[in-house]
Amino acid sequence: MPGRIIKWIDQRFPLTSFVKHELTDYPTPRNLSYWWNFGFLAGVVLMLQVVTGIFLAMHYRADISLSFDSIQHIMREVNYGWLLRYMHATGASAFFFVIFVHMARTLYYGSYRAPRELLWWTGQGLLLLLMATAFMGYLLPWGQMSYWGATVITNLFQATPFFGDQIVIWLRGDYTVGDATLTRFFALHYLFPFIIIGAVVIHLVALHTVKSSNPSGIDLAAKDNIPFHPYFTIKDLYGLGWFLIVYSVFVFFLPDSLIEPANNIPANPMQTPNHIVPEWYFLPFYAILRSVPNLVGGVVAMGLSVMMFAFMPFLDRSRIPGGAHYRPIFKIQFYLFLLDMLVLGYVGYTPPTNQTLLIGQIATLCYFGSFLLIPFISRIEERWLVRRGLPPAVIALMESEALTIEQRRLKHRRRGEQA
Amino acid sequence: MNALVKVLVLCCFSIGAWANEVPLEKVNVATDAVTISRGAEDLMNDCHSCHTLKYIRYRDLVAFGIDKQKVDAWRGDQAMDSPLLGQFSDADAMQSFGIVPPDLSLMVKARDGGSSYVYSYLLAYHNSPDGVLENPVYPATKMPDALGIASATDAAQRTEIQGRARDIVSFLTWAADPHDAERKRLGYYVLGYLIVLTTLLYFVKNQIWGRLK
């Protein structure tokens, strides 16, 4: 009977072939390490956020006179409302943590390189959507930090040439952050996750076209690929177990460690907090914003700092395949970059003094330097490595890649002659 | 990539090391019903005349286990479901102190340092050499020395006041998050379940991967 039902479906919808193509026959490199679990984890966190968010929305009031109280209503009176709210608030941090690790893995192993540029860029789009969603969600509790964070960030749009002030008013729906801002942020905060789901589908289509990269950085022979199901479904589920353990420690035992105390004070437009800090996941970018003395320059620098990742396929032109695996200098660069992110995070967290301002400016230069110097450093590194000798598999891959490039060029030239 | 993990762990530790401006006296708040009931009583006597606790209802106090007769005495003719609003109108408060005293329901969560902040604040009152009442934890405060720590001279009296402060802070900690105990209790079950589940998944994973040559 089940066989007949599936046959009936298959005549009308490609169910079996879809499962076969995307799961049971989908080739996945067998050498993937646990760093490759984080994409799956990001998907799980997205689902957690959507589900807890929908239930929170049933009890939340988007109205400046009610929203702060409605959060307390959820925390105190709704059945397991505290669990929903803490899961959602912790989930935001978990989402960024998982995404940052996912991105760090891509950078380390050079997974953004050809042919995976579009996969990387769709991921970049997802990062921007995630940041926008998190930023708008942070306004909803209507605490002091919510209000002043939204005020500071919407103010940045004043840097827009010609229409700066109008854009700020258009975004807020009012001259200051107020009821109009809250309701539209709520509407968009509810909408964006579904756009993210759509973008994730695109991200997965791109992934299933080019397939996963792997730690060796070399395309594997067919014998080294194994089907995604059951091998990686179980590996992902095992990783999910670990993730949920860490997540639960935060949700049940340290839920307030990720909530700024000032956000437990209702928003007060008449009183600026002593120092306005964004959530931890925005700190490095916030530090870059503050490091540039001029508003327009700061906004441009902050925007660029997020977008720099998208340029990686152009910046990293080394012929050595993969990422840091065969490239010792790239590896050092990668760790220095992480260190620089931590320094920027610290600078973003502390109230500005002359000293932290200077550290922030140096760290900002290092941040952009670590992207913009990649073409030059990788050229030198490549020459040095070739002279020193590379493993035969890598040389074979480099030669075959050089060959395809040459062929493409020849084809192009021939087409040009015909025309 | 393993170095990344180490760096992140170090980063997590360093967060706790960031210094506060005024060193706070650490307090271990109590979670038992007796201390919290005592704290509620002290709060009703020492704080409630000016401060509200608008997210706590009289019914919540009884549900927590505070003696119903005491709660009935506190609420007077107010309904069981009415919140703990102050006996002081905002206008009167403005006239007396120049400020509306803040609601205390979330006070413990709303300050860096949490319960230790409130505890240190309550006990930080002292008279300067010129006889002016000062509070180094929050110098701009408009609140009088509610517990009378500045005028307490002998050690026994100071200990008594410290105990009272701890009771009040314990109550406020409960009031800021009444589900705290329930959350932690549930947390142990959830963690226990997840550890068993993850261990089982580990064995299943090894079994499945064992099929590969």
Side-chain angles (χ1 to χ4, degrees):
Chain A
M1 187 63 191
R4 275 177 60 201
I5 294 171
I6 288 179
K7 206 172 156 196
W8 186 90
I9 295 170
D10 276 336
Q11 282 165 348
R12 290 153 179 89
F13 182 86
L15 178 69
T16 307
S17 64
F18 179 83
V19 170
K20 224 172 132 133
H21 190 257
E22 311 305 335
L23 281 171
T24 51
D25 271 0
Y26 177 68
T28 316
R30 70 184 285 174
N31 61 341
L32 294 191
S33 65
Y34 281 104
W35 294 113
W36 265 261
N37 279 37
F38 284 84
F40 169 77
L41 291 180
V44 172
V45 183
L46 173 62
M47 285 304 123
L48 270 179
Q49 291 299 85
V50 168
V51 172
T52 53
I54 287 172
F55 282 99
L56 285 171
M58 295 176 189
H59 304 284
Y60 171 76
R61 304 290 177 86
D63 181 317
I64 55 170
S65 60
L66 298 173
S67 51
F68 191 89
D69 290 346
S70 74
I71 299 286
Q72 287 309 312
H73 167 68
I74 290 168
M75 291 296 289
R76 289 158 194 268
E77 278 137 38
V78 175
N79 283 335
Y80 290 100
W82 54 267
L83 182 61
L84 285 175
R85 196 254 179 149
Y86 278 147
M87 280 177 76
H88 199 73
T90 311
S93 285
F95 209 155
F96 274 94
F97 174 76
V98 164
I99 286 296
F100 285 160
V101 176
H102 189 59
M103 289 174 69
R105 191 271 290 154
T106 309
L107 288 171
Y108 183 88
Y109 290 107
S111 309
Y112 50 82
R113 300 179 63 174
R116 298 190 177 80
E117 299 96 325
L118 272 177
L119 181 58
W120 178 236
W121 290 332
T122 52
Q124 172 85 52
L126 276 165
L127 175 69
L128 296 180
L129 283 169
L130 174 65
M131 286 178 152
T133 311
F135 165 65
M136 291 187 294
Y138 196 55
L139 182 70
L140 306 187
W142 204 247
Q144 272 288 67
M145 239 7 123
S146 302
Y147 178 86
W148 289 98
T151 301
V152 168
I153 301 300
T154 47
N155 251 337
L156 298 180
F157 287 88
Q158 262 175 354
T160 321
F162 307 117
F163 317 105
D165 292 332
Q166 283 90 330
I167 295 261
V168 175
I169 295 169
W170 178 73
L171 283 173
R172 292 175 178 166
D174 201 342
Y175 294 100
T176 58
V177 172
D179 210 31
T181 325
L182 181 65
T183 48
R184 65 184 53 192
F185 274 30
F186 178 57
L188 294 175
H189 184 70
Y190 204 107
L191 168 68
F192 269 41
F194 299 98
I195 299 178
I196 290 181
I197 291 173
V200 167
V201 171
I202 295 171
H203 195 60
L204 285 177
V205 169
L207 172 69
H208 282 226
T209 308
V210 295
K211 312 286 187 284
S212 288
S213 64
N214 72 83
S216 75
I218 302 170
D219 286 329
L220 300 176
K223 71 176 172 53
D224 291 319
N225 283 319
I226 50 178
F228 189 85
H229 181 78
Y231 297 105
F232 285 97
T233 32
I234 187 65
K235 196 173 175 180
D236 278 345
L237 284 176
Y238 170 56
L240 177 64
W242 275 106
F243 167 79
L244 288 178
I245 289 173
V246 177
Y247 176 70
S248 302
V249 167
F250 275 93
V251 169
F252 290 99
F253 298 98
L254 302 161
D256 286 312
S257 62
L258 299 165
I259 296 173
E260 192 62 37
N263 227 27
N264 286 310
I265 303 170
N268 181 357
M270 310 302 285
Q271 190 187 43
T272 320
N274 289 340
H275 105 267
I276 301 171
V277 277
E279 293 288 84
W280 67 269
Y281 36 81
F282 289 136
L283 287 175
F285 310 109
Y286 186 59
I288 289 174
L289 169 76
R290 283 201 308 196
S291 294
V292 183
N294 163 289
L295 174 72
V296 179
V299 174
V300 170
M302 184 172 73
L304 262 182
S305 70
V306 182
M307 293 307 295
M308 271 331 265
F309 298 104
F311 298 111
M312 280 307 287
F314 301 116
L315 294 169
D316 179 14
R317 302 305 291 247
S318 174
R319 288 187 298 132
I320 316 280
H325 192 65
Y326 297 110
R327 297 166 63 185
I329 298 175
F330 186 79
K331 192 184 272 184
I332 295 168
Q333 256 185 299
F334 173 81
Y335 285 121
L336 286 178
F337 178 71
L338 289 190
L339 186 70
D340 191 50
M341 282 295 256
L342 292 181
V343 171
L344 281 170
Y346 172 77
V347 170
Y349 183 81
T350 52
T353 61
N354 282 337
Q355 202 189 352
T356 59
L357 194 67
L358 183 68
I359 298 173
Q361 283 166 344
I362 295 168
T364 301
L365 284 179
C366 291
Y367 184 95
F368 287 106
S370 51
F371 284 102
L372 299 174
L373 293 179
I374 286 176
F376 309 102
I377 295 175
S378 63
R379 182 64 48 83
I380 298 165
E381 180 192 50
E382 184 187 309
R383 246 181 260 145
W384 172 60
L385 288 174
V386 169
R387 216 181 313 128
R388 207 181 62 162
L390 282 158
V394 177
I395 294 174
L397 185 75
M398 281 170 67
E399 279 166 358
S400 81
E401 271 180 0
L403 202 67
T404 33
I405 293 168
E406 190 57 31
Q407 274 168 350
R408 210 180 299 145
R409 208 172 281 155
L410 273 176
K411 208 186 277 173
H412 195 71
R413 202 177 300 155
R414 236 174 278 143
R415 210 175 290 152
E417 280 164 12
Q418 276 168 6
Chain B
M1 284 296 268
N2 287 326
L4 167 66
V5 176
K6 283 176 203 152
V7 168
L8 282 172
V9 168
L10 283 176
C11 170
C12 291
F13 280 117
S14 70
I15 286 170
W18 283 327
N20 214 309
E21 286 99 340
V22 184
L24 296 179
E25 249 180 278
K26 288 262 179 291
V27 63
N28 264 328
V29 293
T31 49
D32 62 294
V34 179
T35 316
I36 290 174
S37 308
R38 216 164 47 219
E41 196 161 2
D42 290 335
L43 179 122
M44 293 313 277
N45 293 335
D46 297 331
C47 322
H48 185 53
S49 48
C50 303
H51 289 281
T52 60
L53 273 96
K54 62 175 175 175
Y55 296 122
I56 298 287
R57 297 164 204 278
Y58 290 104
R59 189 181 293 289
D60 300 332
L61 299 179
V62 178
F64 175 71
I66 295 174
D67 189 16
K68 188 163 185 304
Q69 282 178 332
K70 274 185 193 165
V71 176
D72 282 339
W74 294 334
R75 74 187 167 99
D77 53 0
Q78 294 177 79
M80 230 17 195
D81 274 323
S82 65
L84 272 68
L85 296 179
Q87 296 140 11
F88 214 37
S89 77
D90 286 359
D92 289 345
M94 278 304 276
Q95 205 168 23
S96 312
F97 300 109
I99 191 173
V100 178
D103 185 79
L104 294 183
S105 321
L106 282 166
M107 190 45 80
V108 164
K109 284 193 178 206
R111 295 290 180 275
D112 280 316
S115 49
S116 296
Y117 175 91
V118 181
Y119 180 74
S120 311
Y121 166 73
L122 286 173
L123 297 178
Y125 285 96
H126 62 89
N127 286 311
S128 73
D130 326 326
V132 183
L133 192 66
E134 283 178 341
N135 191 326
V137 174
Y138 183 36
T141 189
K142 297 269 170 59
M143 187 174 106
D145 178 13
L147 300 185
I149 187 85
S151 49
T153 40
D154 68 302
Q157 205 183 352
R158 289 190 74 88
T159 322
E160 191 268 321
I161 292 174
Q162 279 164 358
R164 208 137 45 96
R166 179 169 175 270
D167 293 349
I168 290 173
V169 171
S170 299
F171 174 75
L172 287 177
T173 307
W174 170 80
D177 195 350
H179 293 288
D180 187 75
E182 180 195 359
R183 189 182 73 236
K184 285 179 180 145
R185 205 163 351 123
L186 185 61
Y188 288 115
Y189 285 108
V190 171
L191 279 184
Y193 173 81
L194 283 174
I195 288 166
V196 172
L197 177 73
T198 308
T199 315
L200 290 177
L201 284 171
Y202 176 71
F203 289 126
V204 176
K205 187 221 149 219
N206 278 356
Q207 198 216 0
I208 290 175
W209 279 70
R211 292 181 210 158
L212 287 172
K213 294 282 161 348

